[in-house]
Amino acid sequence: GRKISGASASSFQVLSGGWYAKDFMDVYYMGEKVSGASGSSFQVLDGQYAKDFMDVYYMGEKVSGASGS
C-alpha cells in the first residue's frame, strides 16, 4: 500500500471490497479523500456503493438526491 496524507494510522481500516477505506474522521476512495463523508458512520453497501448517515456514494462521489438515512 501507500501512505495516505492526513489519514490516522491508529484508526485506519480498509473496508469490504477494497475500494473504500476510513479512519475515525474521514473516508477515502482509492486513496483519495471523499469530500464530506463521515468516517464514523460510513459503510460499504454493495460493490462501489456506500453510505454515511447523510448521503450515498458511488465510486467515491456523492449520489445526487439519495439519502443515507
Side-chain angles (χ1 to χ4, degrees), residues 41-53:
S41 66
F42 197 84
Q43 58 186 331
V44 174
L45 298 174
D46 185 34
Q48 294 183 56
Y49 282 97
K51 72 172 192 161
D52 65 10
F53 71 100

Side-chain angles (χ1 to χ4, degrees), residues 4-22:
I4 298 175
S5 179
S8 169
S10 64
S11 65
F12 190 84
Q13 58 183 305
V14 176
L15 302 177
S16 175
W19 297 102
Y20 291 96
K22 71 177 185 174

